[in-house]
Amino acid sequence: ETGVTQSPTHLIKTRGQQVTLRCSSQSGHNTVSWYQQALGQGPQFIFQYYREEENGRGNFPPRFSGLQFPNYSSELNVNALELDDSALYLCASEVWGPNTEAFFGQGTRLTVV
Amino acid sequence: SQQGEEDPQALSIQEGENATMNCSYKTSINNLQWYRQNSGRGLVHLILIRSNEREKHSGRLRVTLDTSKKSSSLLITASRAADTASYFCATDSSASKIIFGSGTRLSIRP
């Protein structure tokens, strides 16, 4: 148990739709990162939020957006879903710093049809 | 693109044998971490080694880091069936942004 929960665990959406994925971080963790993991690949960094501000972004288009809330929860929003967005989406929370451990949720499996 | 690359991509060994996985990365780092993932689930943190450390142990795990070669290795001794999983190295090069490699899929044969 990492203390990080994601919802929903599974989701099926239609191409062109919008989706919101949710993550509840550990209390006191002021940093949350989101990752996309395609089947058989390593997690790809989408973006990171620190104290409710975006603090770095990977190579993902603007239709991927996020929010972080004061209660240690966060959201990943994806607009105009494409078939290639089908993946496992992972959030990771940690305390800001150079040598800290990130705690991962179990992920949301998104299937776009 | 991935920061780290694990080698081999897949490894199958007999239970009781040792498993060694390697990771190479491209840029300077603050630390390198190893994670384990069972069958498409969340990642579990195994061990963190700082850039000024060369070797670290945790139970049956031994990690080495060679910053001059930009490489790390993870050794699992006396493997068990429950060690079957994918193992990822991840580097933290700036402000806690963790970048993952593509992983090694480890299978332990009974």
Side-chain angles (χ1 to χ4, degrees), chain A residues 1-6 26 101 103-106, chain B residues 41 43-45:
Chain A
E1 285 295 327
T2 64
V4 179
T5 57
Q6 291 186 244
Q26 283 196 19
E101 176 185 343
F103 295 84
F104 281 81
Q106 289 296 300
Chain B
R41 304 290 290 167
L43 291 108
V44 175
H45 184 265

Side-chain angles (χ1 to χ4, degrees), chain A residues 4-75:
Chain A
V4 179
T5 57
Q6 291 186 244
S7 63
T9 55
H10 295 84
L11 195 56
I12 300 175
K13 302 290 277 187
T14 302
R15 189 172 53 181
Q17 283 187 315
Q18 178 266 343
V19 69
T20 297
L21 310 182
R22 293 182 172 83
C23 173
S24 176
S25 303
Q26 283 196 19
S27 178
H29 283 194
N30 53 17
T31 304
V32 65
S33 302
W34 285 88
Y35 293 82
Q36 179 195 67
Q37 186 178 22
L39 202 61
Q41 302 294 318
Q44 295 272 3
F45 175 71
I46 303 175
F47 45 56
Q48 181 186 78
Y49 278 78
Y50 169 63
R51 291 186 175 178
E52 301 160 49
E53 300 272 341
E54 187 177 294
N55 180 54
R57 188 179 187 93
N59 189 26
F60 281 82
R63 59 189 184 84
F64 285 78
S65 64
L67 287 170
Q68 185 187 26
F69 303 101
N71 65 351
Y72 305 110
S73 67
S74 61
E75 290 180 355

Side-chain angles (χ1 to χ4, degrees), chain A residues 52-101:
Chain A
E52 301 160 49
E53 300 272 341
E54 187 177 294
N55 180 54
R57 188 179 187 93
N59 189 26
F60 281 82
R63 59 189 184 84
F64 285 78
S65 64
L67 287 170
Q68 185 187 26
F69 303 101
N71 65 351
Y72 305 110
S73 67
S74 61
E75 290 180 355
L76 165 65
N77 298 289
V78 187
N79 294 323
L81 283 167
E82 301 176 359
L83 297 179
D84 286 348
D85 296 333
S86 295
L88 180 69
Y89 289 85
L90 297 160
C91 76
S93 78
E94 62 187 300
V95 177
W96 178 268
N99 288 305
T100 59
E101 176 185 343

